[in-house]
Amino acid sequence: MKLVNEINKNKKKSNSNDLNSITTFIENQFYYHLSNMDKSLKDFMDIMIYKENCFETKETIKKEQVVFKCTDFILNKSESISKVIENFFVLIVQDQNYQDLAFSELKSVINSKLLYNSVEENIIKISDKSSTPITNSICKEVLRLNPVDQLSSPITCKKDTLVNGYFIPKDSHIIINHKSMNLNEKYFNDPFVFNPKRFLNYNNQSINFTCNFTSDEIYIAISNILLNFKITSFKRNNNFNVFDDNLPSSVLIEKR
């Protein structure tokens, strides 16, 4: 995949500069949060500062620990999203008709913009999401098969709780296995088959599955790729299992 290889090559070149920029940004955020610290913990950075006791000590090591952990958190997320996009290329070649439907939908959105804007705008944005149910269904199916976080962050149960007959004691730590849920036949028919149509209702409207910052990033990437490129495989077989050995090893990406 020439495009993916080019992305990875450029990513390696820019990693050093990107890391410095991210670290500088997080350090600035650290000092901003530290100077505005109060009893209410407003976000992740506040929690880290509180846990490391940074507001009561001037130890440099404490600041470095917070900056390191936050940097690591951001980099891991970006790497996970990159993997999801790479998997998208392999998955989307399975249904050329659905890919063409998504392109027509996206092109219609762009044409509508041109009617009301004097400046030509050939970019899909988050604000277009509600107008692109077919593209949304592709993003959701890609995320179902390749969740950004296969396991959730730990959640602490604040009191004894009963959920669907399961007793969860107070102070229990709960970790949700997203991958296992997404591949469970109880919730999805043919869970190992790439089928974006499962996320469209009878009116061809997108069914809610996930809505967060990472899914927005993935939507922006996938929608603009589908708008500008046609993705095909050198293997023309369809409906193969997404986890078998018959997946295409090479993908052809052509400018539309």
Side-chain angles (χ1 to χ4, degrees), residues 13 25 44 76 129-130 137 141 143 213 225 229 234 243:
K13 288 180 182 177
F25 171 78
F44 182 75
N76 282 336
K129 204 171 183 179
S130 60
S137 68
E141 182 69 344
L143 278 170
F213 174 69
I225 290 169
F229 299 95
F234 291 108
F243 295 101

Side-chain angles (χ1 to χ4, degrees), residues 151-195:
L151 298 176
S152 73
S153 300
I155 304 167
T156 303
C157 191
K158 293 186 176 180
K159 62 180 181 179
D160 290 348
T161 306
L162 195 66
V163 180
N164 290 337
Y166 290 95
F167 174 68
I168 305 173
K170 179 184 176 181
D171 295 329
S172 295
H173 294 285
I174 303 164
I175 298 177
I176 300 171
N177 189 332
H178 296 302
K179 186 78 169 183
S180 176
M181 290 174 59
N182 294 351
L183 299 178
N184 193 325
E185 291 182 349
K186 181 179 178 180
Y187 308 114
F188 299 100
N189 294 326
D190 298 320
F192 296 100
V193 173
F194 178 72
N195 177 23

Side-chain angles (χ1 to χ4, degrees), residues 15-233:
N15 268 351
S16 179
N17 290 334
D18 290 345
L19 181 58
N20 290 335
S21 298
I22 292 170
T23 302
T24 300
F25 171 78
I26 292 175
E27 285 178 345
N28 291 336
Q29 287 296 311
F30 171 85
Y31 287 116
Y32 172 80
H33 279 70
L34 188 61
S35 62
N36 291 279
M37 194 76 177
D38 55 34
K39 292 183 179 180
S40 63
L41 303 178
K42 297 178 288 297
D43 55 25
F44 182 75
M45 181 71 81
D46 277 356
I47 294 171
M48 293 299 299
I49 291 172
Y50 177 79
K51 289 288 186 183
E52 296 294 340
N53 206 25
C54 295
F55 51 88
E56 291 184 2
T57 178
K58 295 184 178 180
E59 292 180 53
T60 304
I61 188 66
K62 295 291 187 180
K63 184 263 291 188
E64 291 176 348
Q65 286 174 354
V66 173
V67 171
F68 174 79
K69 288 175 182 177
C70 291
T71 303
D72 192 50
F73 179 81
I74 290 175
L75 292 178
N76 282 336
K77 285 290 184 184
S78 63
E79 186 64 25
S80 298
I81 293 169
S82 174
K83 290 296 181 185
V84 171
I85 300 300
E86 288 181 18
N87 286 322
F88 153 75
F89 283 104
V90 176
L91 293 170
I92 196 61
V93 299
Q94 298 180 46
D95 196 332
Q96 293 298 316
N97 290 333
Y98 207 73
Q99 186 181 157
D100 290 339
L101 283 174
F103 168 73
S104 298
E105 174 184 74
L106 295 165
K107 197 65 181 174
S108 175
V109 170
I110 293 298
N111 290 339
S112 296
K113 287 183 180 183
L114 295 178
L115 290 175
Y116 300 102
N117 294 299
S118 56
V119 179
E120 184 173 344
E121 190 177 54
N122 200 38
I123 298 174
I124 297 294
K125 299 179 178 180
I126 290 297
S127 55
D128 300 316
K129 204 171 183 179
S130 60
S131 304
T132 57
I134 293 173
T135 307
N136 292 341
S137 68
I138 292 173
C139 296
K140 290 172 182 179
E141 182 69 344
V142 170
L143 278 170
R144 182 185 72 82
L145 292 165
N146 304 279
V148 174
D149 297 308
Q150 297 198 13
L151 298 176
S152 73
S153 300
I155 304 167
T156 303
C157 191
K158 293 186 176 180
K159 62 180 181 179
D160 290 348
T161 306
L162 195 66
V163 180
N164 290 337
Y166 290 95
F167 174 68
I168 305 173
K170 179 184 176 181
D171 295 329
S172 295
H173 294 285
I174 303 164
I175 298 177
I176 300 171
N177 189 332
H178 296 302
K179 186 78 169 183
S180 176
M181 290 174 59
N182 294 351
L183 299 178
N184 193 325
E185 291 182 349
K186 181 179 178 180
Y187 308 114
F188 299 100
N189 294 326
D190 298 320
F192 296 100
V193 173
F194 178 72
N195 177 23
K197 299 181 187 72
R198 71 174 84 242
F199 289 110
L200 289 178
N201 62 20
Y202 58 89
N203 288 323
N204 277 343
Q205 294 301 307
S206 182
I207 297 172
N208 190 33
F209 177 60
T210 183
C211 183
N212 54 38
F213 174 69
T214 53
S215 66
D216 285 347
E217 279 191 301
I218 289 165
Y219 171 80
I220 288 294
I222 288 178
S223 60
N224 284 287
I225 290 169
L226 289 172
L227 176 65
N228 292 285
F229 299 95
K230 185 175 181 65
I231 306 160
T232 55
S233 170

